[in-house]
Amino acid sequence: TVKCPNPTCGCEMPLASSFEVSKKAGKEAWVEPIVEEKKVRYIVHQGKCPKDNVSIKLSKGASFRCVCCGSIVEKKYIHDEFMAHQDDAKILAVVAEGQRGRIYISSTEEQNVIACSAIPEWVPEEQMNTDTPNLVSGRGYGITMWKELFNTRQLTALTTFSSLVSVAQNKAEADAVTAGMDDGHLPLREGGTGARAYGEAVGVYLGFALDRAADAWSSMVGWRNSVEASRNTFARQALPMVWDYAEVNPFSDSCGNWTDACIGWIEKSLEELGGDIAGESTQFNAQDDCNLRNIMVSTDPPYYDNIAYADLSDFFYIWMRQSLKDIYPELFGTMLVPKSEELVAAPYRHDGSANIAKSFFEDGMLSACKQMYLYAREDIPVTIYYAYKQSDSDESGTVSSGWETMLRAIVNAGFAITGTWPIRTERSGRMISNGTNALASSVVLVCRKRPEDAPQTTRRNLVNQLRRELRPALKKLQESNIAPVDLAQSAIGPGMGVFSRYKQVLEADGTPMSVRSALKIINEEIDLYFNEQVGDMDSASRFCVDLYTQNAFNLNYSRSSLMEPRC
């Protein structure tokens, strides 16, 4: 809530994106705001919400309509109120567990008082990296510390659970000693005994559960009124502002609770993984030689500048460090996640220079690919997962910076790309796939070591070979039931397969052809192939076909958002 800026009103204005708490058929419920002396209380009604009462949030950004005077309050005012810490929060409704599913009841003043009365004994004081673009949209509303993503009751719960991890670990170790496990047969690390290893393992799994709790118990958790459930904080790899959030009860039997959603999933993972076969994992810098040879290599590299994983990881790290720093002091020696070596093209890590960031990523990716070439077996292909479709346009055409950099590193490291194939690795309906820069599938680059005696060729010969080989490959891709949004990206593989089989391709002036130039030629041939299939259509029909090719039946455009011609 913020105070209405209308001087004749000044009521406690709610910032609710929706007053519908349940849209589930037969179980509809909605909240009515009642204004009384510039204060607002909320009454829950059963049944479908009247159309005029659904929302006070306007379609554009963070603009809202005051429930009292009807004034339109723009984003800047709301932003300024948050920056000045003049915002507050009130309970819209209480979700309870009924005999036949969820029930919705109006909150009481006592519940609002209790919600604000919790005071944690300690809180994490770590700062967010405020230079990271799009990390937390709420950062523009005065949120600069990780603790500010939680209300005081959530902080009390998380800090309490965190302090109990070491207590549970010590109890587990003591129980193991009593049970006679102190025989050295279960070392978690060198020098550990069975009982100590058992206790440390329990502590680690509880640390994992606590991070699941943080994901479920923040003020960035949305409420899904269509399915009557909360959505976790990281529904996608970002932290968007949530105006009306769901505060999960850790001790309930509903979504996000401690027993099932936090501990339960860790337990299920352990049961499914089993413990009969010993495994080994070691962490190395991907750009350094870790002395591996003749192995199968399958990797999912960073996607250029798409996601700031190290910065986002701080959200979980602050809780895991508090729980596990005594078990692994060497791993949790820093207050926040180390970031300088993360292979990402982030200008904010290079004094705002996009060129330096690009060079940092390109050099690092080439070094990593050279190491993969050194490790890989001759008889097993290297597979590299990629699910990014960023495009940059200039006067000479459209290419993808992320793809260009990745392909250049692979080719220059000595690999030939023998194919691409989309693999369904992502859950359908995930938020990051909705209107974002992601593909429906992960596109896998299949690579083999290029022969040392590979020949060179000319631009003319490359174009001729592309026309011979690319068309059958594109036809095969079309017949393979590939998601339309992935088709153009998958088609890069056969084209780059032709380009990368040569030691180098020479331009007309004798200079080596760049990957960027090769991609432009490949894209031209791909466009030519698809245009020939619709060549007899008028321009409006071709527009529709292009739109369908990229989106299939997943279209959700308003007429006003489309340029002419419209369809």
Side-chain angles (χ1 to χ4, degrees), residues 543-544 547 555-567:
F543 172 81
C544 293
L547 195 63
L555 293 177
N556 187 26
Y557 295 102
S558 64
R559 287 181 58 88
S560 61
S561 68
L562 294 174
M563 299 293 290
E564 294 287 357
R566 292 174 178 171
C567 60

Side-chain angles (χ1 to χ4, degrees), residues 287-527:
Q287 300 177 46
D288 297 336
D289 187 357
C290 59
N291 297 316
L292 295 172
R293 298 294 185 273
N294 296 317
I295 63 170
M296 184 186 77
V297 177
S298 184
T299 183
D300 188 2
Y303 299 160
Y304 200 65
D305 61 349
N306 201 24
I307 298 171
Y309 282 111
D311 292 302
L312 290 171
S313 296
D314 284 338
F315 176 92
F316 298 100
Y317 182 86
I318 58 173
W319 300 109
M320 187 172 284
R321 182 178 185 274
Q322 185 65 25
S323 304
L324 303 179
K325 62 184 179 182
D326 293 333
I327 302 178
Y328 296 108
E330 67 282 2
L331 285 180
F332 296 98
T334 57
M335 297 299 292
L336 292 171
V337 173
K339 300 175 180 65
S340 60
E341 294 183 355
E342 183 186 19
L343 193 54
V344 61
Y348 66 90
R349 294 186 186 169
H350 303 278
D351 297 325
S353 173
N355 290 331
I356 295 177
K358 186 173 185 288
S359 298
F360 172 81
F361 184 84
E362 290 176 345
D363 294 344
M365 191 58 67
L366 178 59
S367 297
C369 288
K370 285 181 176 179
Q371 293 303 327
M372 287 191 285
Y373 184 92
L374 194 64
Y375 306 150
R377 289 177 57 134
E378 299 282 349
D379 57 339
I380 298 178
V382 171
T383 52
I384 302 174
Y385 287 71
Y386 214 58
Y388 189 43
K389 59 177 183 178
Q390 171 187 301
S391 293
D392 295 328
S393 297
D394 56 28
E395 64 280 357
S396 58
T398 299
V399 294
S400 164
S401 295
W403 271 96
E404 178 194 355
T405 302
M406 173 60 62
L407 293 170
R408 183 190 299 121
I410 292 170
V411 172
N412 291 345
F415 288 107
I417 298 167
T418 59
T420 50
W421 201 257
I423 293 181
R424 297 287 176 85
T425 60
E426 310 300 337
R427 178 176 59 85
S428 61
R430 73 198 197 283
M431 280 191 68
I432 192 173
S433 69
N434 299 328
T436 64
N437 209 15
L439 300 175
S441 313
S442 291
V443 176
V444 181
L445 299 173
V446 183
C447 313
R448 290 185 182 272
K449 292 184 176 181
R450 188 169 55 244
E452 293 286 344
D453 59 350
Q456 64 182 27
T457 192
T458 64
R459 179 190 182 97
R460 179 186 294 273
N461 189 45
L462 174 70
V463 173
N464 290 335
Q465 284 191 278
L466 280 173
R467 288 176 179 170
R468 284 197 302 269
E469 299 184 28
L470 194 55
R471 290 168 183 258
L474 290 171
K475 185 177 180 181
K476 185 177 180 181
L477 286 171
Q478 281 185 306
E479 295 170 349
S480 300
N481 199 29
I482 291 174
V485 71
D486 296 339
L487 187 59
Q489 213 73 26
S490 302
I492 292 175
M496 285 304 299
V498 176
F499 174 78
S500 62
R501 75 176 56 145
Y502 296 102
K503 189 171 185 178
Q504 61 181 4
V505 177
L506 300 179
E507 297 278 13
D509 60 0
T511 59
M513 179 182 289
S514 67
V515 169
R516 174 173 282 251
S517 296
L519 280 173
K520 289 176 180 176
I521 295 173
I522 293 167
N523 285 330
E524 288 170 2
E525 293 300 320
I526 293 172
D527 290 342

Side-chain angles (χ1 to χ4, degrees), residues 204-206 208-209 212 259-277:
V204 168
Y205 298 136
L206 287 173
F208 292 165
R212 288 189 61 85
T259 304
D260 297 323
C262 301
I263 288 290
W265 279 102
I266 303 301
E267 180 185 359
K268 289 177 182 177
S269 300
L270 294 174
E271 289 175 348
E272 292 296 325
L273 287 171
D276 298 331
I277 301 175

Side-chain angles (χ1 to χ4, degrees), residues 1-40:
T1 65
V2 294
K3 182 180 179 180
C4 176
N6 184 348
T8 63
C9 178
C11 85
E12 181 186 60
M13 176 181 140
L15 304 176
S17 57
S18 175
F19 286 123
E20 292 179 290
V21 290
S22 175
K23 296 197 295 185
K24 196 169 184 179
K27 297 183 177 180
E28 294 90 348
W30 62 284
V31 175
E32 180 186 9
I34 306 295
V35 181
E36 296 174 341
E37 297 181 352
K38 298 185 180 181
K39 295 287 185 180
V40 184

